[in-house]
């Protein structure tokens, strides 16, 4: 497992399409990297996942003096970032993308929060900024407090250039709250989900789950061998009571085990 402070080095040493599992913690700067961004993923598709699936335990913090993450050219393959918070990013230059900047990348974000990111100079896209053609899929991503306040800036949440961006709700295993519509600038004919929303995803407690986009979690059904034994015992109990004409007991039995 990778410590947050070692994430840039782990990326640099990884092979294309490797999986990196990251321990909870906060990363504010990478000694191996320049001062313009906390993390820089370039010329290598990769999957980076926080070991805590809440989305709030692994944090990339730009401290309002650098972008949180830049992803340049994934070589036509997918890069995935899951269960992270990117906050307080600001390039303080003409660059775009306070939280995330994409250039010729194919990226999937899963339960990622982008909050309080900015472009305060003349770039675009406080939360996410893009340049040229990108493909972006966002699943259960939350946007809050992102701004684009510099001269001529566009897209407090997302500045979209070319390519396709898809926004959808929370995945299986989370309770979903749909929040406000995203503030998006899409000037160059790119395709992006409209209207697109911010989503708060609360992970289900142990023993519970949900379907994608569900508003709440519920007790999960048993599976495998245990499931077959469970159904066998239940059917035997139903048969026992029916044979004795006790319909109330049948209803009570089924109600108790209804999940």
């Amino acid at each position: 497992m990778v410590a947050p402070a070692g994430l840039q080095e782990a990326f640099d040493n990884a092979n294309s399409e490797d999986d990196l599992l990251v321990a909870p913690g906060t990363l504010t700067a990478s000694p191996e990297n320049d001062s313009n961004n906390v993390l820089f993923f370039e010329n290598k598709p990769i999957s980076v996942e926080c070991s805590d699936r809440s989305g709030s335990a692994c944090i990339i913090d730009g401290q309002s003096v650098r972008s949180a993450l830049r992803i340049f050219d994934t070589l036509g393959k997918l890069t995935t970032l899951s269960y992270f918070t990117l906050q307080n990013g600001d390039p303080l230059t003409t660059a775009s993308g306070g939280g995330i900047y994409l250039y010729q990348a194919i990226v999937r974000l899963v339960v990622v929060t982008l909050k309080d990111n900015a472009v305060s100079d003349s770039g675009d896209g406080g939360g996410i900024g893009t340049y040229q053609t990108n493909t972006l899929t966002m699943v259960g991503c939350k946007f809050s407090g992102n701004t684009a306040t510099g001269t001529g800036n566009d897209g407090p949440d997302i500045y979209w250039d070319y390519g396709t961006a898809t926004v959808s709700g929370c995945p299986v295993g989370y309770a979903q709250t749909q929040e406000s519509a995203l503030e998006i600038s899409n000037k160059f004919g790119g395709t992006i989900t409209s209207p697109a929303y911010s989503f708060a995803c609360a992970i289900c407690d142990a023993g519970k789950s949900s379907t994608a986009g569900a508003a709440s979690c519920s007790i999960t059904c048993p599976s495998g061998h245990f499931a077959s034994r469970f159904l066998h015992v239940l059917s035997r109990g139903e048969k026992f009571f029916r044979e004795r004409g006790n319909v109330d007991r049948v209803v009570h039995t089924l109600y108790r085990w209804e999940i």
Side-chain angles (χ1 to χ4, degrees):
M1 189 177 297
V2 180
L7 183 50
Q8 183 67 55
E9 182 179 7
F11 171 83
D12 294 342
N13 294 329
N15 295 315
S16 181
E17 299 183 277
D18 271 357
D19 298 321
L20 299 180
L21 187 64
V22 182
T26 300
L27 175 62
T28 56
S30 299
E32 304 89 349
N33 212 353
D34 60 57
S35 61
N36 293 329
N37 38 266
V38 180
L39 289 172
F40 189 12
F41 295 168
E42 182 178 23
N43 297 334
K44 188 187 298 178
I46 201 159
S47 175
V48 179
E49 178 178 323
C50 181
S51 61
D52 183 313
R53 295 174 56 244
S54 67
S56 59
C58 289
I59 301 170
I60 304 171
D61 192 326
Q63 298 179 302
S64 299
V65 294
R66 59 182 66 86
S67 295
L69 172 64
R70 291 180 174 261
I71 303 176
F72 277 33
D73 194 358
T74 60
L75 306 179
K77 297 182 179 181
L78 179 65
T79 281
T80 301
L81 182 71
S82 304
Y83 320 126
F84 273 78
T85 292
L86 294 88
Q87 64 187 33
N88 302 322
D90 188 340
L92 298 181
T93 65
T94 58
S96 295
I100 301 175
Y101 180 67
L102 304 179
Y103 172 75
Q104 294 184 340
I106 301 173
V107 174
R108 177 179 173 87
L109 305 177
V110 180
V111 190
V112 168
T113 295
L114 293 114
K115 68 176 185 177
D116 301 328
N117 299 290
V119 278
S120 58
D121 195 316
S122 57
D124 297 300
I128 298 176
T130 67
Y131 180 60
Q132 293 196 4
T133 301
N134 296 275
T135 300
L136 175 63
T137 302
M138 291 180 285
V139 180
C141 292
K142 179 181 175 68
F143 290 73
S144 67
N146 301 300
T147 58
T149 58
T151 303
N153 287 12
D154 289 307
D157 288 319
I158 300 173
Y159 177 82
W160 193 246
D161 204 350
Y162 300 98
T164 301
T166 304
V167 181
S168 61
C170 301
V172 171
Y174 293 82
Q176 170 179 303
T177 301
Q178 180 177 299
E179 300 185 330
S180 59
L182 301 183
E183 295 185 77
I184 299 170
S185 175
N186 182 18
K187 290 185 174 180
F188 296 98
T191 301
I192 189 165
T193 301
S194 180
Y197 293 92
S198 171
F199 294 95
C201 301
I203 192 168
C204 294
D205 294 333
K208 294 187 177 183
S209 189
S210 69
T211 57
S216 61
C217 303
S218 59
I219 299 173
T220 57
C221 293
S223 60
H225 175 71
F226 179 76
S228 65
R229 295 296 302 162
F230 172 85
L231 294 174
H232 175 70
V233 171
L234 183 60
S235 63
R236 288 289 297 273
E238 181 183 356
K239 182 174 183 293
F240 176 84
F241 291 126
R242 285 193 186 280
E243 287 175 347
R244 287 154 180 77
N246 195 331
V247 177
D248 288 342
R249 283 294 185 93
V250 174
V251 173
H252 178 67
T253 302
L254 294 175
Y255 175 76
R256 280 189 62 198
W257 292 103
E258 182 183 3
I259 53 179

